Structure formats: structure tokens, C-alpha cells
Amino acid sequence: MFYSKPHQNHKTRECRFVHYYITNSVSTPPLLFFFFFFLPKFGVFKSNSPHPLLEFQTPTTGLEEKQEEEVVVYYLVMERQYGSNSLSPCSSISNGVLQETVDVTKCLTEANELIEAIGAFSGFRKTQSKECLNLVRRLKMLVPLLEEIRDLHDMLPAEALSSHISLLKEALVLAKRLLKNCHNGSKIYLAFENEAVMARFHVVYDKLKEALDGIPYDELGVSVELKEQVELMSTQLKRAKCRKDTQDMELAMDMMVVFSKNDERNADPVILERLANKLELRKIADLEAETIAVQKLVRHRGVPNSESLQQIIDLLRKFKQIAGMDNNVAPDGPVVSKSLQRCKSTLIPHEFLCPITLEIMTDPVIVATGQTYDRESIQKWLNSNHRTCPKSGQTLVHLSLAPNYALKNLILQWCQKNNYELPKKEVVAGMGDTPSDLAGEISSLVHNLSSSQLDIQREAIIKIRVLSKENPENRVWIANSGVIPPLVKLLSYPDLNFQEHTVTALLNLSIDDSNKRLIAREGAIPAIIEILQRGTEEAKENSAAALFSLSMLDENKVLIGSLKGIPPLVLLLRDGTIRGKKDAATALFNLSLNQANKSRAIKAGIIQPLLALLEDKNLGMVDEALSILLLLASHPEGRSEIGNNSFIEILVNIIIDGTPKNKECATSLLLELGRNNSPSILVALQFGVYEHLVELTRCGTSRAQRKATSLLQYMSKCEHIP
């Protein structure tokens, strides 16, 4: 008699694996070895006389998922070797007779829940995507069958169904684990072990077919349609196991090359690039997710062969090197940025971390796609001859970096509130740090600005314009050389070509924070506004862009507004080229963040040009117009100007037919108007907005969903609104 005392502190669930045997059996030793030496590691044994009954209980908190799966698989092996009567789940013995105790209804409910959970997986790894989607589709087809069996199972004794339903449930558990692994597991590992993963699919197919083939459909009275569907599925499962899909030979060959120690091409950048593309490991976000997946493999020893695991880690490092990422794949825990290590007690907001280094940004800049990175990191990326956005993968139409002042201010406020010190970065102090050849060139250019010869002056301005566009360091070095005062004076020179080059040079220099104050302090703003009114088309465009750049400082917003810079911007918005309209819209949006400037913009007639932008979708400026209108709607004068029926109709049409971003902005604007003017809501309802708002709560962007939900809640509170 064997007995293992149960642990007192275990909370257990009954998951009994019962083995009873007859004394004259000759085939029990291997099975007894399994019970008496393997199972005690996970649970407890009890013996009940007069028949030796082994009852296995698994601690819910003490058994790892992988171990639990091993137990189930071991049970399946034992069942095949010794027959289903020698070891069956959920069984007990009464008076020496095996009694089934499975709750069929409960098993059916749990099976349905498993299928529902499986159906919730969205997206699988490319190497197994086809197999996963086929399996999910087949499993969803089981739902009507399970519902009908639930209604009819009382027609038969429990023992006629229990073993088959239990087997089906076990197959679904294995399927869920397999699909979960193919959903968020390591892409490299799944490609490397593709054959082993396919073998797991075949195990699932076997279990499903065995369970479905054993159900007594005729005795239950299952409908003919469902029987035919099950027969078709059984045939498909048999074919799926036999089918050998043509492998991506290029992928297989590339994997073989990079994992080969003897092949000199294992570090070939062309092969690595191709492999990264095929495995979809080019974007920063994908590489971050792969890093986490590989770390889980390391922690849980998901790869039996340590050499293979090291090869997977090495390949991931190569992919990250291609993308310009930090090669940190720590085997003992998740990736932790250096900043977070310095500030373990404080959780840095995700928005403050550079997507490349995962460290807090000290100098956030915006690239052409609108993504924000720390300047040092993105500059290294660009200097490595990359011409794509690391996060989105889009090609950069230009390589200019625009400071993200709003985010930088938020980071500084957060650091001050949480007593967090930003990492120190080297700051170029002055001309002493400038390369000698460049220092000499800049000094010569400053001298030439004061020349009495127009051609020399013009050439110097153009050269400064070019140098100040190239990189951030040049802007600091040029400004520190004393170039800004003479440039500001040249803004008033009557030659239009002079003005165009000069305002553009100042625009480039103004990108640096410290230069903004210096340019405004030298009195440049009135001259820039003058060029905005009377200059060439390009000079007007660059003047608007310069006012936008300078208005990043709050004191300059006030100064530009008080110096009557808003009316010429409104005129450019109305009559300018497409680029001029965009530059004017950007500047007006920034200036309208100031409450006094909202009134100035409304009085300058900004509403009509904005409505024209909404109606002319070919310009592609609907979002810009809606964003400015949203700011103006917070002002009483703005609401009275735009709260008419025709404008509400335009908003509703955008919510119906616009792009996702258009719909988001239009819904936000309608909500702002409705909160201060209930008739606007009634008018919107008359134009049929309600059902489209309901649709937005389901399918819109995250912000659109929030705004649409708030608007619907507000509508429900208004009188005469359902």
C-alpha cells in the first residue's frame, strides 16, 4: 500500500486520474512507475480499500502550464498503450465497478468557452498563420454541434457521452495552447522549429477526429445537417494531417544559413535583411515584442537545446543591430532601460520613452512621418543611411527633425514632480567647440553679411541658409557666432530675393530653442510679418513657418498676436498655395492655443477659409481645419460663428464619410459644440448622426470611440432626445 501525505497548504481542484488494476494483470509495472514516481511530484495519492484506488489531485497554484500539459500528454500515451479502461479521467470506483462522474453539461459549457477564447486570437505568426486560421475556422464550426448536444444529451446515459466530450475538451485545451503560442510566441523560434510545431498541430487533429468520430450522433438524434458537417470536418482533419504544404524554401534556406556556424554567409547583411522582412522583424515594436518572447523561452527553458537557444538570441541581436536598437536580450528578465534602472521607484510614462532606445527622451524630435524620437537616437539611425521611420517603416520624405516642444515640456514637468534627473547630454557651448574648418567658414560668412557688395551678402545668406538646415550643431554654432543680429537687419532690405533667403535662414535657425528668444529679442517678428504680407510666395510660406516655429514659446504667441501677425496668416490660409495654406494652418493652430488670439483669429475672418478647407477634400486639410475649429469652439465668439445648421450638416457628413482621423476630429468638435449649445445636437440628430456615432463606438479610433460614447451619453440626457 502506497500513501503520500497531502500538503496541508495546497488549495486543490479535483482532476482525478484513476487507475485500478486486477491482481493478475501482467502489464501494470510501467503504469505503476508513472503513478508512484512521477505523479507524486505534482499531487497526492490516497488509497481506498478494498480496491487500490489512486486519486491524483493537482494543486492549482503549484503546477506550471507546461507540466500540466505533460501530464495530459502522458495520460494520452498511457491510454493508447493500455486501453481506455486502465486510465480514464474523472472516474471513481464504487463496489468495484467503474462509475463515470463527468458533468456533460459542464464539459460542453467549458468546451464552448474554449472555442470562444480561441476565436478571440487576432493575428498569428507568419510561418504558421495558414494552419492557425484553418484550425480556428474548423473549431468555430463546432459551436452549433455542441449547442445541439447540450439540448439532446439527456437522451443517453452520461457514460455514453462523457469520455468523448472529455476527449474533445482535452483537444480544445491543447489547441488553445498551441494557437496562443503561434499568436505571441517567438517568431524566430516558430520558424526554426516549424516541423515540430506542425507535429503539434497533427496531435490536435488526431484528438479532434477521435473525439468527433466517437460521438453517437444517431442515438442522440443530431440533425442530418450537423452530421454532414461533422463528417466533412473529420475528412478535412484527416487530409490536414496528411497534407504537406510547400515550405517557403527561401525562408528555410536563409534560416539554415544564419544558424550554420560553418557557413561564412551567416552574417551576410542581404540574407539577414531578407530574413527580417520574411519574419516581420523590421519595426521597433515587433523587435521589442520578439525580445520579450525570446526572454520567456529563456526563463521557461522552452528550447531544450541550449545551443539552439543561443543561436536564436544571436539572430535576434543581429536583427536589432540592423534596426539600430540596443542589443539587450537579458536572459534573466525583461528588457529594462538604463533610465528605468536609475529610477526603479518611479514608472516613467510610456509616451516619454524613445521607441529606439526605450529610454526617457531628453530632446524629443518629430520626423517626417509624425513619430517622435530622442534626437541622439534618430540621428544615429539616419547617419547609418536609413531613410525610413523606425517605428512605422514608412519612407521619410525628408530628413528634417522638428523639436517636439509640447512633449519636452511634459517630460520636464513630470521630472520636476517626481524628482527625476534627466541624463546629462553634452551641450555645445560656443565656437570653441566648433570644428576648426567650420569655425573659419562661419566667421567669414558673418563678416560677409556686412559687406557693401550685394552679391557677397547674398552668397553669405544662402550659405548660412544651407548650413543651418543640415544639422542641429550647425544652428548652435552659427547663432553663437553672432549671425542673428545682421540677418534680422537684412530682413528689411527692399530686395525680395534677399528677404526670401534671409527669412528662410532665420526659420532654420529658429528650430533651436535658444535661438527663438534671440531672434524675437532682436526684433525680427515685425519684419517677418511684413514679408508675410508683401513677399514672394515662397517667402510668405517660409514666413508663416517661421512664425509657427517662434510661437512655440508662449511669450512669442502673445507678441505675434499683438503685432497683428494673425490677419496675414488668415489671408495666406485663404489665398495661398497648398504649401502656404498648410504653413498658415500650422501657425494659426499654435497661435490659437492662446485665448486672446482665438478672438483675433475669429475677427480676422478665419471661419470661412476653414469651412472652405472642409468642403475641398482634394486639399487634404480636413484634419487641420477641424483641429483649429475645435480650439475656436471653446470661445463664445467661435461657437456663435460655427454653430449654424449648414456647418452642423458638414460635420455630420464628415462623421459619415470621412477618414478615421476625420471622424475623430469631427466628433470631438460636435461634442464641444453640443456641450455649450444643445440645439446643435438636435440639428445633428436630424441629419442622421446617431447610428453613425453608435458605429464609431465600435469601429472608430480609440479617441473617436471615447468622444462618440460621451456624445451619445450627452444626447441621452438632453430633453426630447432618445
Side-chain angles (χ1 to χ4, degrees):
M1 186 78 64
F2 290 86
Y3 178 78
S4 175
K5 186 177 180 181
H7 296 284
Q8 299 300 320
N9 61 343
H10 276 320
K11 293 182 179 179
T12 61
R13 70 173 184 272
E14 290 192 339
C15 179
R16 298 172 180 142
F17 288 83
V18 182
H19 171 65
Y20 70 100
Y21 56 91
I22 302 172
T23 53
N24 61 356
S25 172
V26 295
S27 59
T28 54
L31 190 56
L32 288 175
F33 177 84
F34 165 70
F35 271 90
F36 295 137
F37 293 93
F38 180 68
L39 291 183
K41 296 179 182 178
F42 304 111
V44 295
F45 287 116
K46 296 178 183 178
S47 64
N48 291 335
S49 296
H51 299 282
L53 169 66
L54 301 179
E55 176 176 327
F56 171 49
Q57 296 180 301
T58 58
T60 52
T61 57
L63 193 63
E64 295 290 339
E65 183 177 293
K66 182 175 182 294
Q67 295 170 332
E68 190 176 15
E69 185 173 354
E70 287 173 350
V71 172
V72 174
V73 172
Y74 201 101
Y75 153 70
L76 298 176
V77 174
M78 291 297 106
E79 184 185 65
R80 283 198 175 91
Q81 183 172 350
Y82 297 102
S84 60
N85 288 332
S86 61
L87 185 65
S88 66
C90 305
S91 306
S92 64
I93 290 178
S94 176
N95 299 322
V97 180
L98 185 66
Q99 301 290 335
E100 297 292 339
T101 60
V102 167
D103 184 337
V104 174
T105 303
K106 182 180 178 183
C107 269
L108 289 168
T109 301
E110 290 171 348
N112 260 322
E113 290 171 351
L114 283 166
I115 294 173
E116 184 178 349
I118 286 168
F121 290 128
S122 58
F124 297 96
R125 300 316 192 205
K126 192 174 180 180
T127 44
Q128 287 82 28
S129 179
K130 182 179 178 181
E131 206 73 29
C132 290
L133 292 173
N134 285 336
L135 179 55
V136 171
R137 176 177 54 80
R138 289 174 182 135
L139 294 179
K140 286 181 177 178
M141 291 169 62
L142 292 176
V143 173
L145 172 66
L146 297 178
E147 294 294 338
E148 188 154 335
I149 293 176
R150 186 202 300 270
D151 296 334
L152 299 173
H153 79 276
D154 289 335
M155 305 290 293
L156 291 175
E159 55 266 27
L161 268 179
S162 58
S163 61
H164 306 300
I165 300 302
S166 296
L167 193 59
L168 178 61
K169 181 183 165 186
E170 291 163 11
L172 291 172
V173 169
L174 293 176
K176 181 185 174 185
R177 288 175 184 158
L178 176 57
L179 291 168
K180 182 180 179 182
N181 192 22
C182 293
H183 169 66
N184 58 14
S186 163
K187 294 179 180 180
I188 300 174
Y189 171 74
L190 289 170
F192 181 61
E193 294 286 358
N194 187 52
E195 288 187 11
V197 175
M198 291 308 302
R200 292 181 65 189
F201 275 98
H202 294 162
V203 171
V204 172
Y205 296 154
D206 279 340
K207 296 303 299 175
L208 282 172
K209 189 176 186 305
E210 186 178 351
L212 293 173
D213 289 350
I215 296 174
Y217 302 100
D218 292 332
E219 290 84 349
L220 280 170
V222 172
S223 64
V224 175
E225 293 81 7
L226 282 177
K227 282 176 59 181
E228 290 175 350
Q229 186 173 308
V230 171
E231 288 172 3
L232 175 62
M233 186 184 300
S234 183
T235 303
Q236 289 176 340
L237 290 171
K238 185 177 180 180
R239 287 175 182 168
K241 185 182 176 185
C242 298
R243 185 184 67 241
K244 299 291 184 183
D245 282 341
T246 304
Q247 224 180 357
D248 185 337
M249 292 308 297
E250 189 177 61
L251 173 63
M253 289 298 295
D254 286 348
M255 290 291 291
M256 184 175 68
V257 169
V258 298
F259 280 105
S260 172
K261 290 183 177 179
N262 301 322
D263 197 319
E264 60 185 10
R265 297 174 299 160
N266 60 13
D268 188 330
V270 175
I271 294 177
L272 291 171
E273 286 265 358
R274 187 168 61 223
L275 195 54
N277 282 327
K278 283 187 174 291
L279 295 179
E280 299 176 337
L281 289 173
R282 292 300 306 274
K283 297 180 182 177
I284 299 296
D286 292 334
L287 287 165
E288 290 171 358
E290 181 68 7
T291 301
I292 294 171
V294 171
Q295 288 165 350
K296 285 182 180 178
L297 283 177
V298 175
R299 286 197 299 270
H300 299 301
R301 294 175 175 83
V303 183
N305 188 327
S306 59
E307 184 179 350
S308 298
L309 182 58
Q310 188 58 49
Q311 288 176 312
I312 291 171
I313 293 172
D314 291 342
L315 181 56
L316 176 57
R317 284 183 173 138
K318 291 174 184 176
F319 288 157
K320 294 175 79 174
Q321 188 175 11
I322 291 173
M325 283 182 68
D326 181 18
N327 274 326
N328 182 15
V329 189
D332 55 350
V335 174
V336 182
S337 73
K338 296 175 184 176
S339 295
L340 285 172
Q341 290 171 349
R342 287 194 296 269
C343 187
K344 294 180 179 178
S345 62
T346 309
L347 181 62
I348 299 176
H350 177 74
E351 296 80 6
F352 296 172
L353 301 179
C354 174
I356 296 176
T357 62
L358 299 182
E359 294 187 17
I360 192 167
M361 290 183 276
T362 59
D363 187 9
V365 293
I366 304 170
V367 298
T369 58
Q371 298 288 346
T372 297
Y373 302 92
D374 197 42
R375 185 186 295 278
E376 183 181 9
S377 303
I378 191 64
Q379 197 64 60
K380 287 180 180 178
W381 169 269
L382 298 175
N383 291 343
S384 300
N385 293 321
H386 291 100
R387 295 298 179 261
T388 57
C389 173
K391 194 168 184 180
S392 69
Q394 295 174 268
T395 301
L396 298 172
V397 295
H398 62 77
L399 303 182
S400 300
L401 304 176
N404 191 334
Y405 296 105
L407 181 58
K408 186 172 184 178
N409 287 336
L410 288 174
I411 292 173
L412 292 174
Q413 291 171 14
W414 180 87
C415 290
Q416 185 176 8
K417 182 179 177 181
N418 292 279
N419 296 320
Y420 179 77
E421 185 178 354
L422 280 174
K424 300 294 183 184
K425 300 264 176 123
E426 289 186 14
V427 179
V428 180
M431 289 297 290
D433 298 319
T434 312
S436 57
D437 55 343
L438 185 59
E441 182 180 7
I442 292 173
S443 178
S444 175
L445 291 173
V446 174
H447 180 266
N448 289 343
L449 286 177
S450 304
S451 173
S452 58
Q453 299 181 39
L454 293 181
D455 290 342
I456 293 177
Q457 281 186 313
R458 182 184 289 109
E459 187 179 341
I461 295 170
I462 293 172
K463 187 61 178 177
I464 290 170
R465 173 181 176 175
V466 172
L467 284 174
S468 59
K469 183 180 179 180
E470 287 180 352
N471 60 59
E473 290 81 4
N474 284 359
R475 295 180 197 120
V476 177
W477 292 331
I478 292 171
N480 288 340
S481 70
V483 78
I484 289 177
L487 274 179
V488 172
K489 288 179 182 178
L490 288 171
L491 283 173
S492 303
Y493 195 83
D495 185 286
L496 295 179
N497 190 256
F498 255 59
Q499 292 177 357
E500 181 183 309
H501 289 302
T502 305
V503 78
T504 307
L506 286 169
L507 164 62
N508 294 340
L509 290 170
S510 72
I511 295 173
D512 184 81
D513 273 354
S514 57
N515 291 346
K516 285 179 171 57
R517 287 189 173 85
L518 183 56
I519 292 170
R521 196 181 305 135
E522 291 295 325
I525 290 176
I528 293 173
I529 294 172
E530 182 71 19
I531 295 173
L532 178 61
Q533 292 173 310
R534 311 184 192 282
T536 64
E537 283 300 326
E538 186 175 348
K540 288 180 180 180
E541 294 163 1
N542 291 341
S543 295
L547 290 178
F548 161 70
S549 179
L550 294 172
S551 70
M552 296 304 299
L553 300 181
D554 288 339
E555 63 260 34
N556 287 346
K557 288 185 179 73
V558 177
L559 189 57
I560 293 168
S562 63
L563 291 172
K564 300 182 180 178
I566 290 177
L569 285 170
V570 171
L571 287 175
L572 185 62
L573 182 68
R574 187 189 69 186
D575 303 326
T577 63
I578 293 179
R579 182 186 164 193
K581 290 177 186 291
K582 289 181 179 291
D583 288 330
T586 308
L588 286 166
F589 174 83
N590 215 36
L591 290 167
S592 296
L593 293 170
N594 176 273
Q595 190 70 6
N597 285 343
K598 291 176 185 176
S599 179
R600 293 185 177 109
I602 294 165
K603 289 175 181 175
I606 193 175
I607 301 299
Q608 286 307 314
L610 291 175
L611 293 180
L613 293 178
L614 293 181
E615 292 172 344
D616 188 355
K617 295 182 181 177
N618 291 329
L619 292 173
M621 293 183 63
V622 173
D623 292 337
E624 289 90 336
L626 289 171
S627 299
I628 297 172
L629 286 166
L630 181 59
L631 289 176
L632 300 179
S634 64
H635 194 283
E637 294 177 33
R639 287 194 296 273
S640 64
E641 286 271 345
I642 62 180
N644 55 62
N645 291 3
S646 60
F647 178 71
I648 300 300
E649 184 179 8
I650 292 173
L651 279 187
V652 173
N653 287 334
I654 292 172
I655 291 173
I656 294 172
D657 298 323
T659 66
K661 185 65 175 176
N662 292 165
K663 293 179 180 182
E664 173 189 309
C665 295
T667 305
S668 302
L669 180 51
L670 186 58
L671 177 61
E672 182 65 31
L673 290 173
R675 282 173 173 165
N676 295 280
N677 183 12
S678 293
S680 298
I681 298 295
L682 290 170
V683 174
L685 285 168
Q686 290 170 2
F687 287 122
V689 76
Y690 189 86
E691 61 185 44
H692 299 285
L693 289 175
V694 173
E695 181 68 17
L696 267 184
T697 61
R698 296 194 296 264
C699 306
T701 65
S702 57
R703 181 169 177 254
Q705 289 178 2
R706 293 196 306 271
K707 296 296 182 181
T709 301
S710 298
L711 190 49
L712 289 170
Q713 290 172 349
Y714 182 76
M715 287 177 171
S716 67
K717 295 176 184 177
C718 294
E719 191 176 357
H720 307 306
I721 297 177

